[in-house]
């Protein structure tokens, strides 16, 4: 991707209700196109056709395809962020035994990715050639990591490592990397015997329990 000016990413938000409704249709249509066909399917003409709007409705808000793509990216990521609020819900984690808390946190974190596989696959594969998507993806990943690790910090006193904070982040890095490979390339990419999503989540939870808490807890 060639160097671009910041203005090329600018989005001019709509002010009138009808314009906001049309713009939301554009963003929803963009997400659907990415889910269905990846970045190759994402064109201004295709977005217009899917959203039922004319090109001027898009150019009134953005100057370039990249600006539109990034607006759609943020729209899709907002859906993931909404689901990540579970990590800030103290009641959700209250009263759980250490191993159950770890397994639950892992299931929530990976589950969000798996529920949005098609969208994430498109943006992860695009990020390799799109520095701005890569930058925003890194920021979002770190936000998720902060939320995930905040939950697991409750267990600092029982984590079997000299540096619990480093261990928690290492755990997140491993699990996040494994889930992104699965999202981007499918369950058969790195193993001759792929497992379904449920088994994958269970196995990742078990891995996290053994790494953070040791072997004294029963298997799920």
């Amino acid at each position: 991707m060639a160097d671009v000016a910041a203005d090329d990413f600018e989005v001019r938000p709509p002010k009138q209700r009808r314009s906001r409704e049309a713009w939301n249709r554009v963003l929803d249509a963009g997400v659907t196109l990415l889910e269905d066909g990846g970045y190759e399917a994402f064109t201004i003409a295709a977005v217009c056709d899917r959203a039922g709007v004319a090109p001027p409705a898009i150019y009134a808000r953005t100057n370039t395809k990249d600006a539109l793509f990034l607006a759609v990216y943020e729209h899709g990521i907002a859906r993931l962020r909404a689901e990540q609020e579970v990590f800030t819900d103290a009641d959700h984690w209250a009263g759980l035994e250490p191993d159950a808390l770890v397994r639950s946190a892992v299931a929530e974190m990976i589950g969000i990715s798996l529920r949005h596989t098609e969208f994430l696959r498109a943006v992860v594969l695009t990020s390799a050639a799109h520095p701005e998507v890569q930058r925003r993806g890194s920021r979002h990943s770190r936000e998720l990591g902060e939320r995930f690790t905040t939950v697991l910090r409750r267990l600092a006193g029982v984590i079997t490592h000299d540096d619990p904070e480093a261990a928690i982040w290492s755990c997140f890095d491993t699990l996040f990397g494994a889930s992104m490979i699965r999202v981007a390339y499918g369950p058969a990419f790195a193993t001759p015997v792929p497992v379904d999503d449920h088994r994958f989540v269970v196995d990742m939870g078990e891995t996290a329990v053994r790494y953070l808490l040791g072997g004294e807890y029963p298997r799920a």
Side-chain angles (χ1 to χ4, degrees), residues 60-82:
R61 307 291 157 224
T62 63
N63 295 329
T64 65
K65 176 186 173 181
D66 269 328
L68 176 61
F69 176 77
L70 290 170
V72 168
Y73 169 85
E74 294 293 347
H75 187 65
I77 287 295
R79 299 176 180 180
L80 278 73
R81 282 197 175 104

Side-chain angles (χ1 to χ4, degrees), residues 116-192:
H116 297 273
T117 290
E118 291 79 10
F119 172 75
L120 286 174
R121 178 182 296 123
V123 298
V124 168
L125 295 177
T126 300
S127 69
H130 199 307
E132 182 62 17
V133 173
Q134 186 176 116
R135 185 185 71 81
R136 297 188 187 200
S138 175
R139 182 183 65 196
H140 171 255
S141 301
R142 291 176 184 178
E143 288 174 359
L144 174 59
E146 287 289 352
R147 295 187 175 193
F148 177 82
T149 56
T150 295
V151 170
L152 293 192
R153 286 189 189 107
R154 296 164 175 255
L155 305 178
V158 296
I159 288 176
T160 57
H161 293 268
D162 293 336
D163 188 343
E165 178 72 8
I168 291 169
W169 273 105
S170 180
C171 181
F172 170 76
D173 190 46
T174 299
L175 298 174
F176 183 78
S179 62
M180 286 301 100
I181 289 174
R182 186 179 184 90
V183 161
Y185 301 110
F189 180 74
T191 174

